[in-house]
Amino acid sequence: MGQATFTIKALNLLLAPTMAGRRVDRAFDKLIATAEAETGGKAADHEQYLADARFVLRAWADQDYASAIGWASVLGALQSRTTNRFRVARAIAEHPEIEEEPITAPVVVTGLPRTATTFTHNLLAHPAGNRAPLWEMFNTLPVGADEALARAAIKDAQDFIGTYDKAAPVFGDIHKMDAMLPEECIFLLPFHIFLWGVCGPMDSARQWRRDRDFTDDYRFLKQALQVMQYGRERRRWVLKTPCHLWALPTLVETFPGAQVVWNHRDPATVVASYCSLMEVGWSVQLRKYDPAQIGATALSLLVEAVEMSTAARAGLPGQIIDVGYTQMTDDARQQVPLLFERLDLAWDDQASAHLEHLLTRPGQRRRHEYRLDRFGLERDRVEQAFGDYTDMVAGLPADFGARGETA
């Protein structure tokens, strides 16, 4: 099973007494001061974001068995996101024309986690006319930034990834990350549910996140993309994260003309795999956890995602393309060219060679293993919880090209 290393567990146990005296407000005030000093930004320009971030930090710290390593991890993540938010705002303040940059008809890959969204994202981001966010999400530098600063930012991103891989080596088998590979735009969406689901149950934040108006979050995502694009070659953005399932109407309102590639897979398999991913996070973030609580939390989160996204489908005519898991894996050579055609992308020798490269699963050390019963779940219970969605996934045509216009 995917868990933290013995060293991380030992450190969390050894440092447990230090958690009792953690002062959220003092730590967060220091975080703000650091962000202001590094960017020249002003906290007064980000009052609502900072109030929300402070709430999230407190929600994490209030969990039972919150760990010292987890505290450092969450505080570091919020520091990075806050500093970058100030940095983006500073770039726009100095060059207001940045907000006039068009983000035209992006391709947005989404779907429940563990449905081959990463594979699909890598495929669609590869053509020369497309691009996906890379290391820039951690440190969004405007055009003309010093090359040494850019190199340092790439190294910082790579160091962050390396630290997490050392803490939980199995994570790289579940989701390979690299500063120079396409990555989820979740790193530019500060409060989305999927990210914080791997940090523990965070019960006090669950309903808050579910009811959240994500308009400002998506506005910031667009601003960050505009900063990345400004003064550079304009290419079609290819974005990806399961988080978009919670906010499809806000997504398409922010990016009119977006084409949403929605990946699907047998829900019981998805839940088991996601539980394994959550266990990696919880084993770092918490000193102690119950696998059955992971199962209940994962099932609740993913059913919620399907319910909210299914309700939104009717309002997105012609913008959603459904893709089955087997089409991206077992039958990729036949089906991927058809997907390219649907997205007006050229299928050529380079695209074919890239598909072959991805099918070899480069960098995969071993097979990711997971099972439902470890997390107190049974297939029947999962299928019943997902209701009609289970039948919908089972009924997807095997031949992608045979399908008519969707959603």
Side-chain angles (χ1 to χ4, degrees):
M1 292 295 106
Q3 298 182 23
T5 64
F6 175 80
T7 300
I8 294 298
K9 292 179 180 179
L11 283 173
N12 277 333
L13 183 62
L14 180 66
L15 297 173
T18 69
M19 288 302 297
R22 297 291 181 185
R23 297 182 181 179
V24 169
D25 287 331
R26 183 171 68 179
F28 197 79
D29 289 344
K30 182 179 178 181
L31 177 156
I32 294 173
T34 299
E36 289 181 323
E38 289 189 14
T39 65
K42 297 180 180 178
D45 297 333
H46 306 272
E47 288 186 359
Q48 188 58 57
Y49 162 81
L50 292 172
D52 291 342
R54 190 185 297 264
F55 169 79
V56 167
L57 180 60
R58 182 171 288 110
W60 181 89
D62 285 346
Q63 296 181 107
D64 292 336
Y65 307 111
S67 75
I69 301 297
W71 168 262
S73 171
V74 170
L75 194 61
L78 288 173
Q79 178 72 76
S80 174
R81 287 166 176 271
T82 301
T83 301
N84 200 43
R85 191 179 186 93
F86 285 19
R87 184 181 296 115
V88 167
R90 175 72 179 271
I92 292 174
E94 293 177 350
H95 299 279
E97 65 273 19
I98 287 175
E99 288 197 285
E100 298 176 9
E101 281 291 320
I103 307 297
T104 306
V107 176
V108 182
V109 179
T110 193
L112 294 178
R114 321 307 304 144
T115 57
T117 53
T118 298
F119 182 85
T120 306
H121 189 215
N122 276 291
L123 275 171
L124 299 179
H126 182 71
N130 291 0
R131 70 161 296 189
L134 308 174
W135 59 269
E136 312 110 307
M137 291 185 291
F138 299 93
N139 195 329
T140 307
L141 300 174
V143 67
D146 183 79
E147 289 187 12
L149 188 61
R151 288 195 298 270
I154 294 172
K155 183 179 184 301
D156 286 346
Q158 202 66 46
D159 288 347
F160 163 78
I161 294 166
T163 298
Y164 206 91
D165 281 346
K166 289 178 181 177
V170 73
F171 184 80
D173 297 316
I174 300 173
H175 178 74
K176 179 177 174 57
M177 293 178 65
D178 187 282
M180 302 308 293
L181 288 178
E183 190 47 73
E184 297 198 10
C185 49
I186 191 172
F187 293 104
L188 293 170
L189 291 169
F191 304 116
H192 256 298
I193 294 166
F194 177 59
L195 172 68
W196 296 101
V198 299
C199 293
M202 294 182 66
D203 294 330
S204 62
R206 272 294 304 278
Q207 192 63 39
W208 176 82
R209 292 193 304 261
R210 190 187 190 286
D211 294 339
R212 181 173 174 76
D213 180 352
F214 290 107
T215 300
D216 184 66
D217 290 3
Y218 278 88
R219 177 174 177 265
F220 175 70
L221 170 60
K222 182 177 181 179
Q223 288 176 325
L225 297 179
Q226 288 171 319
V227 171
M228 294 178 200
Q229 180 175 285
Y230 176 67
R232 302 176 174 95
E233 177 188 359
R234 290 176 180 170
R235 291 185 283 171
R236 190 181 190 185
W237 285 97
V238 182
L239 309 176
K240 174 251 179 177
T241 178
C243 290
H244 297 310
L245 292 178
W246 277 270
L248 286 178
T250 306
L251 167 72
V252 298
E253 182 178 351
T254 305
F255 301 107
Q259 289 184 279
V260 179
V261 177
W262 188 344
N263 286 42
H264 304 276
R265 189 182 185 185
D266 165 42
T269 303
V270 167
V271 171
S273 184
Y274 183 52
C275 284
S276 179
L277 176 63
M278 287 179 66
E279 185 171 24
V280 174
W282 285 32
S283 70
V284 173
Q285 302 280 338
L286 307 175
R287 304 189 308 276
K288 180 180 178 181
Y289 61 90
D290 179 1
Q293 187 180 21
I294 291 177
T297 302
L299 182 60
S300 175
L301 279 173
L302 300 186
V303 167
E304 179 180 285
V306 165
E307 289 176 347
M308 295 182 74
S309 53
T310 300
R313 286 183 69 109
L316 307 174
Q319 288 184 265
I320 294 178
I321 300 172
D322 294 301
V323 177
Y325 181 79
T326 57
Q327 293 164 347
M328 290 292 102
T329 54
D330 299 350
D331 197 23
R333 293 177 181 86
Q334 176 67 30
Q335 302 299 326
V336 169
L338 300 174
L339 176 60
F340 270 55
E341 182 180 351
R342 288 285 296 274
L343 293 169
D344 297 320
L345 299 174
W347 184 256
D348 54 23
D349 290 344
Q350 286 189 343
S352 179
H354 186 58
L355 172 60
E356 294 301 323
H357 170 71
L358 293 178
L359 288 174
T360 65
R361 300 172 69 85
Q364 189 81 3
R365 296 183 293 264
R366 63 180 178 83
R367 183 177 177 84
H368 173 213
E369 299 175 355
Y370 44 83
R371 64 179 196 268
L372 281 173
D373 60 348
R374 171 169 175 77
F375 304 99
L377 298 173
E378 298 177 351
R379 173 173 283 273
D380 288 348
R381 175 186 170 189
V382 173
E383 292 180 347
Q384 183 176 8
F386 279 93
D388 293 341
Y389 181 71
T390 301
D391 294 334
M392 180 267 192
V393 173
L396 287 173
D399 184 354
F400 183 82
R403 198 173 320 159
E405 199 69 22
T406 58

